[in-house]
Amino acid sequence: MNAAPLCVDLKTAAKSIGVSTWTLRAWIDAGLIKTTRFPSSRHAGETSRRKLIAMEDLKVFVDRHREGVA
């Protein structure tokens, strides 16, 4: 059984909502979408450079910007 991923990379997240990675990065930089960075597997005490987006946070963002919802 394949479970849905909890987090995805920026390219996958952007594709899933139909925007470019540059648009998604701009929204992240503006603080509109949260990212997740896990501990580095190479350097103790540091975080990975790779940013991921929790699918739950992406869904909240989309729901918040849906038109016609009261």
Side-chain angles (χ1 to χ4, degrees), residues 43-68:
H43 305 285
E46 294 183 12
T47 57
S48 170
R49 289 179 31 189
R50 186 173 186 206
K51 291 182 181 181
L52 300 173
I53 296 179
M55 290 304 290
E56 181 178 318
D57 290 338
L58 193 61
K59 184 180 179 332
V60 167
F61 176 79
V62 170
D63 288 345
R64 194 175 338 140
H65 292 88
R66 186 175 293 162
E67 291 183 2

Side-chain angles (χ1 to χ4, degrees), residues 7-64:
C7 295
V8 294
D9 61 18
L10 300 188
K11 183 177 178 180
T12 302
K15 185 175 181 180
S16 73
I17 61 172
V19 299
S20 72
T21 55
W22 295 108
T23 297
L24 186 62
R25 286 178 189 277
W27 290 341
I28 290 167
D29 291 345
L32 299 175
I33 298 177
K34 299 176 194 175
T35 60
T36 300
R37 289 171 40 170
F38 292 103
S40 173
S41 61
R42 295 182 181 179
H43 305 285
E46 294 183 12
T47 57
S48 170
R49 289 179 31 189
R50 186 173 186 206
K51 291 182 181 181
L52 300 173
I53 296 179
M55 290 304 290
E56 181 178 318
D57 290 338
L58 193 61
K59 184 180 179 332
V60 167
F61 176 79
V62 170
D63 288 345
R64 194 175 338 140

